[in-house]
Amino acid sequence: MQNVNHLEQLDRLSGLLATVSRDAAGTIRRVSVALLDVDPVGARAVLAEVKDRAATHRQIDELVPLTLVRQQPVASDLRLVLAGLRMNTELHRMDVLAGHIAKLVVARHPAQVVPPPVRPLIGAMAETTVRIADKSALCLATRDRIDALQLGLDDDELDVQYQRLFGILTDAWPYGVQAAIDVAMLGRYYERFADHAVNVARRVAYLVGGDLTRGVI
Amino acid sequence: MQNVNHLEQLDRLSGLLATVSRDAAGTIRRVSVALLDVDPVGARAVLAEVKDRAATHRQIDELVPLTLVRQQPVASDLRLVLAGLRMNTELHRMDVLAGHIAKLVVARHPAQVVPPPVRPLIGAMAETTVRIADKSALCLATRDRIDALQLGLDDDELDVQYQRLFGILTDAWPYGVQAAIDVAMLGRYYERFADHAVNVARRVAYLVGGDLTRGVI
């Protein structure tokens, strides 16, 4: 009976993490659509869903010490629980960053945050970030270590896009300082969101016994 | 004997966290001096110390599961260990953010990152952040819950300074887009650094039994 409960609690933790991870991927997709469509209603919906999800993040936080005390897990189960605590922090930060993008859309409306010359690049950064978030959520659901490795390549692509963005902003930019700062911050939000998603996937790799944890603090 | 080891491991964890926290406060002070003095040598020294400290962060990370397995702590000891894991993540991010400031100093040299009109404000933000970092480190060393509450007020002050910074940047800024983005990013690095330091102090408050954990994920 003790063993059955043990599995149930760990399964619950894994299930909740897989859910918030899939939801975070959906959120970054929706906020990117709201950003490029200049849609404050969509942006406000994102802020609401992020706010709602904070309750699930707290639930995961509370499940961790409970599981440790009740089950005293060791070996791979203990690693799962500890990684879960930290993945939860990363997933929460992803929500906060998506919320920053949504707030920019709302604050600048009816003006657009993304002027025409950087629209294709911001669109590409959003696509790369959504792809990273989708793969990271899949890693959590399937515990597939290979996907975790491939994610590093997607993240390199995003870094290149981020650098190109600064090139455009600092070379004869005609939209003023405010727009430049907004776009630079947008770029940073996407880049940080993706970093967290990659970290989540790396923690999955750690769970399945890889040595990809180096540098992931 | 078991009990003695127990205390020793928890004390070691607390000791290491207090050390990296005090060191992070020293780092943000030194990188701020390098920034305002346009000193790439000082900035490079900061990058080196941050790199060295990563080993201690890894050591803390490894100490956590070891302590859980060997001692199976409960109640306040368990909370200390779990909070320690997450404080370590925050303290590592603080180092990374200080490193971002150092890299800006190195990248722009011999030019200055901070043009004259925002020098007093960036100096004030640096001062507020150093004060927050010092208090947060003191919270960790003394487990003083009151200090954790006072930190919220310092953080509010930093938020006001951060908003004033955007006001200056977007109102007839004569230094170009590159400098504006640099200064905006600087502001964000200080603001994020301070947020992490405040979170560390809030986790200390959680350890001493307060209910300040709400919203701290």
Side-chain angles (χ1 to χ4, degrees):
Chain A
M1 192 58 197
Q2 168 93 358
N3 237 346
V4 170
N5 279 338
H6 185 171
L7 282 172
E8 272 172 5
Q9 275 192 328
L10 285 174
D11 279 354
R12 189 153 163 253
L13 185 62
S14 300
L16 284 172
L17 285 168
T19 300
V20 291
S21 167
R22 209 165 39 234
D23 290 349
T27 296
I28 194 70
R29 180 182 292 110
R30 282 185 290 278
V31 82
S32 300
V33 170
L35 173 72
L36 295 168
D37 288 356
V38 193
D39 172 15
V41 177
R44 281 204 189 86
V46 162
L47 288 172
E49 71 182 62
V50 161
K51 197 177 167 198
D52 285 349
R53 196 145 64 237
T56 313
H57 288 293
R58 276 197 295 273
Q59 205 182 337
I60 295 170
D61 266 5
E62 286 158 14
L63 198 54
V64 167
L66 201 75
T67 306
L68 289 175
V69 167
R70 291 210 183 148
Q71 318 298 346
Q72 306 198 330
V74 291
S76 66
D77 285 349
L78 176 61
R79 293 201 298 170
L80 171 67
V81 175
L82 291 181
L85 188 67
R86 305 175 85 176
M87 288 194 276
N88 195 36
T89 310
E90 310 259 13
L91 289 160
H92 176 67
R93 277 305 299 167
M94 287 158 68
D95 276 1
V96 171
L97 289 162
H100 286 343
I101 298 173
K103 281 178 191 165
L104 260 184
V105 175
V106 172
R108 298 295 174 250
H109 188 262
Q112 58 187 355
V113 184
V114 183
V118 284
R119 208 183 145 81
L121 188 51
I122 289 288
M125 288 186 74
E127 257 179 51
T128 311
T129 305
V130 168
R131 193 166 66 241
I132 288 170
D134 280 339
K135 284 189 188 174
S136 176
L138 195 69
C139 280
L140 250 181
T142 64
R143 310 240 185 120
D144 183 342
R145 185 168 178 272
I146 302 304
D147 274 347
L149 289 167
Q150 287 170 336
L151 264 177
L153 299 177
D154 290 318
D155 200 38
D156 291 345
E157 186 184 329
L158 187 66
D159 287 344
V160 170
Q161 291 168 336
Y162 188 44
Q163 288 314 311
R164 273 182 54 211
L165 186 68
F166 281 95
I168 296 176
L169 293 176
T170 54
D171 178 34
W173 173 257
Y175 296 89
V177 165
Q178 167 88 69
I181 292 175
D182 281 353
V183 171
M185 285 293 169
L186 263 189
R188 177 148 177 92
Y189 299 150
Y190 278 111
E191 191 260 344
R192 289 298 304 144
F193 185 104
D195 277 352
H196 286 298
V198 169
N199 284 349
V200 167
R202 284 196 180 140
R203 292 191 200 285
V204 174
Y206 162 76
L207 286 178
V208 298
D211 57 355
L212 292 176
T213 50
R214 292 214 165 265
V216 182
I217 295 181
Chain B
M1 191 60 196
Q2 170 93 357
N3 236 347
V4 170
N5 279 336
H6 185 171
L7 283 173
E8 274 174 3
Q9 274 190 329
L10 285 175
D11 280 353
R12 193 157 160 248
L13 185 62
S14 301
L16 283 173
L17 284 168
T19 300
V20 290
S21 167
R22 205 164 43 233
D23 290 350
T27 295
I28 195 70
R29 180 183 291 110
R30 281 186 290 277
V31 82
S32 300
V33 171
L35 173 72
L36 295 168
D37 289 356
V38 193
D39 172 16
V41 177
R44 282 203 188 86
V46 163
L47 288 172
E49 71 183 61
V50 161
K51 196 177 166 197
D52 284 350
R53 196 146 64 237
T56 313
H57 288 292
R58 276 198 295 276
Q59 204 182 338
I60 294 170
D61 266 3
E62 286 158 14
L63 198 54
V64 167
L66 199 76
T67 307
L68 290 175
V69 167
R70 291 209 182 149
Q71 318 298 347
Q72 305 196 330
V74 292
S76 66
D77 286 349
L78 175 61
R79 293 200 298 169
L80 171 68
V81 175
L82 291 182
L85 189 66
R86 306 177 84 176
M87 289 194 276
N88 195 36
T89 309
E90 310 259 13
L91 289 160
H92 176 65
R93 277 305 301 167
M94 288 158 68
D95 277 1
V96 170
L97 289 161
H100 286 343
I101 298 172
K103 281 177 190 165
L104 260 184
V105 175
V106 172
R108 299 294 174 251
H109 188 260
Q112 58 188 354
V113 184
V114 182
V118 284
R119 208 184 146 78
L121 188 50
I122 289 286
M125 289 186 73
E127 256 179 52
T128 310
T129 305
V130 167
R131 191 167 68 241
I132 289 171
D134 280 339
K135 284 189 188 173
S136 176
L138 195 68
C139 279
L140 250 180
T142 63
R143 308 239 186 121
D144 183 342
R145 186 167 178 272
I146 302 303
D147 275 348
L149 289 168
Q150 288 172 334
L151 265 176
L153 299 176
D154 291 319
D155 200 37
D156 291 344
E157 185 184 329
L158 187 63
D159 287 344
V160 170
Q161 292 168 333
Y162 188 42
Q163 289 312 314
R164 273 181 55 209
L165 186 67
F166 281 94
I168 296 176
L169 292 176
T170 55
D171 178 36
W173 174 257
Y175 295 90
V177 167
Q178 167 86 70
I181 293 175
D182 281 355
V183 171
M185 286 292 169
L186 262 188
R188 178 146 177 92
Y189 299 149
Y190 278 111
E191 191 260 343
R192 289 298 304 146
F193 185 103
D195 277 351
H196 286 298
V198 170
N199 284 349
V200 167
R202 284 196 180 140
R203 291 189 200 287
V204 173
Y206 163 77
L207 286 179
V208 298
D211 58 355
L212 291 178
T213 52
R214 293 215 166 265
V216 182
I217 298 183

